[in-house]
């Protein structure tokens, strides 16, 4: 995934997740602390007949965009 602004590359990753996150003025650091383990540990890849691999298990990258 590549993130660009005004034609310039701001960030890029290889294999992994491109996550769009909505944050508001009512959110706090605790909300972020609760979100991060969910993004890292949610089983999203199928292997051996079940959802068994997370982005962390795959050692892939994450790009969070707000």
């Amino acid at each position: 995934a590549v993130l660009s602004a005004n034609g310039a590359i701001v960030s890029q990753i290889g294999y992994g997740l491109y996550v769009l996150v909505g944050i508001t003025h009512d959110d706090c650091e605790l909300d972020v602390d609760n979100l991060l383990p969910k993004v890292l540990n949610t089983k999203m890849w199928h292997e051996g007949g079940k959802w068994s691999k997370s982005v962390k298990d795959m050692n892939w990258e994450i790009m969070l965009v707000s």
Side-chain angles (χ1 to χ4, degrees):
V2 176
L3 176 64
S4 62
N6 297 322
I9 294 175
V10 175
S11 184
Q12 62 185 20
I13 62 171
Y15 287 107
L17 296 178
Y18 182 83
V19 181
L20 300 175
V21 180
I23 298 174
T24 181
H25 64 281
D26 291 333
D27 294 324
C28 64
E29 192 171 329
L30 181 60
D31 296 317
V32 174
D33 290 344
N34 289 330
L35 175 66
L36 186 57
K38 291 178 185 180
V39 172
L40 287 173
N41 297 313
T42 298
K43 305 298 184 188
M44 294 184 240
W45 288 275
H46 195 261
E47 183 176 277
K50 62 179 182 172
W51 297 102
S52 60
K53 298 286 184 176
S54 68
V55 69
K56 187 176 174 182
D57 297 330
M58 303 290 279
N59 200 31
W60 286 358
E61 300 172 295
I62 298 171
M63 182 186 301
L64 290 175
V65 179
S66 175

